[in-house]
Amino acid sequence: MSETLADIAIPPQFPDHTQLPESDGTFVKNFQEHPQTVILTDSIAQALQRLHPDGQYCIGQDCGIYWRETEPPEKGAAAPDWFYVPGVPPRLDGKNRRSYVLWREYIPPLIAIELASGNGDEERDVTPLPLAGGREGAKVGKFWVYERIIRIPYYAIYEISNDKLEVYHLVDFSYHKMQPNERGHYPITPLGVELGLWQGSYLNNPEQFWLRWWDLEGNLLLIGQEEAELQRQRAEQAERKAAQLAERLRAIGIDPDVE
């Protein structure tokens, strides 16, 4: 069969990202949410560039994933705090993405991360669509949507208030809670990284635990600021070694400045 997904015409009644709301008007629930999503994106950038030399991937930060048509439209969206989708362009028709529309692009995110302000009950909600539709004010559970409808292979829930991290892996159509490895990290094998908690300070925030990436050998993936500081330290170390070598040469009567 030669027909590809790109060849299939989408009926006009199925809206795209420019026609759907990009926000449901809710507040960001905690002060750590914005810097936390930034550190996740910043530190994994180099790994994703190696994984996708063609640049075909996108990252969503508190961005809606539309999984069904509803009225109003935003009721048919789930909005992970952070998610990554492989094999799709970062921009569509030259425009920044306003949301990710599953019925337009077909490819689910590989991983979604929720930063829970409370005890994580909302993020673990398994209320199915049929039950939610039959109760006044009931909402479809995020866990159920990610597991049964969008089918996101990896789902992480980080409870910020008590530094608790859970990661689920989709196996045989259902989520299985992963166990951390000997480093306390959770391998996300298709990405070639591990997810875990790191204690430190970031963007003038007090020292605390942050959700971060490591490579599969346990090396922390650095953000741009840390990488620049590491390069500065290496340059200073090289200068010190050169100065020490020059002093030793002078001590034995050799002028290191003479070619």
Side-chain angles (χ1 to χ4, degrees):
M1 184 173 68
S2 61
E3 185 181 46
T4 65
L5 292 178
D7 299 323
I8 300 174
I10 304 295
Q13 67 266 28
F14 290 95
D16 64 18
H17 73 114
T18 65
Q19 301 164 306
L20 292 163
E22 58 185 321
S23 172
D24 62 1
T26 58
F27 289 105
V28 171
K29 298 181 180 64
N30 58 75
F31 282 100
Q32 283 72 43
E33 185 169 317
H34 176 68
Q36 176 63 88
T37 56
V38 171
I39 199 172
L40 284 169
T41 301
D42 189 355
S43 59
I44 204 172
Q46 292 187 28
L48 290 181
Q49 288 168 7
R50 290 191 294 270
L51 194 61
H52 302 284
D54 58 359
Q56 295 299 289
Y57 70 91
C58 76
I59 289 175
Q61 297 180 180
D62 199 25
C63 176
I65 302 174
Y66 278 90
W67 57 278
R68 73 181 186 117
E69 284 197 280
T70 59
E71 185 56 47
E74 55 267 29
K75 285 191 174 182
D81 292 305
W82 193 95
F83 65 90
Y84 149 78
V85 190
V88 298
R91 291 161 57 91
L92 294 175
D93 300 323
K95 297 178 182 178
N96 291 329
R97 291 177 176 274
R98 298 178 56 187
S99 57
Y100 189 76
V101 185
L102 199 59
W103 60 73
R104 286 270 173 177
E105 302 194 68
Y106 313 105
I107 300 174
L110 177 69
I111 181 171
I113 297 173
E114 290 283 6
L115 308 174
S117 297
N119 60 7
D121 283 352
E122 179 182 349
E123 290 72 21
R124 298 185 191 92
D125 189 351
V126 295
T127 303
L129 179 60
L131 183 58
R135 294 197 325 221
E136 183 68 26
K139 293 173 60 178
V140 183
K142 283 186 175 182
F143 195 102
W144 185 85
V145 171
Y146 297 159
E147 177 189 45
R148 300 300 181 91
I149 304 299
I150 305 178
R151 299 195 184 282
I152 302 174
Y154 294 90
Y155 176 34
I157 302 171
Y158 176 37
E159 296 177 28
I160 293 175
S161 60
N162 59 19
D163 303 317
K164 179 182 178 182
L165 174 62
E166 293 179 0
V167 180
Y168 297 86
H169 184 204
L170 191 66
V171 180
D172 295 331
F173 305 104
S174 63
Y175 276 144
H176 293 249
K177 190 175 180 180
M178 296 176 65
Q179 296 301 313
N181 61 17
E182 67 280 4
R183 291 183 285 272
H185 303 160
Y186 297 87
I188 313 299
T189 308
L191 262 174
V193 298
E194 298 175 352
L195 185 65
L197 297 179
W198 169 84
Q199 188 171 11
S201 179
Y202 176 64
L203 290 182
N204 298 319
N205 287 274
E207 185 167 308
Q208 62 190 61
F209 283 101
W210 298 90
L211 201 56
R212 294 199 60 171
W213 309 104
W214 285 258
D215 66 21
L216 295 178
E217 284 71 50
N219 301 302
L220 182 68
L221 302 190
L222 303 181
I223 59 173
Q225 181 182 358
E226 292 168 334
E227 186 69 41
E229 176 63 19
L230 180 62
Q231 294 302 326
R232 184 189 67 79
Q233 292 176 1
R234 286 174 175 170
E236 289 182 352
Q237 186 179 31
E239 289 178 3
R240 285 195 299 270
K241 288 183 177 179
Q244 291 168 357
L245 176 60
E247 286 299 318
R248 289 198 291 269
L249 290 173
R250 291 188 182 97
I252 60 175
I254 301 175
D255 186 350
D257 297 322
V258 175
E259 294 184 1

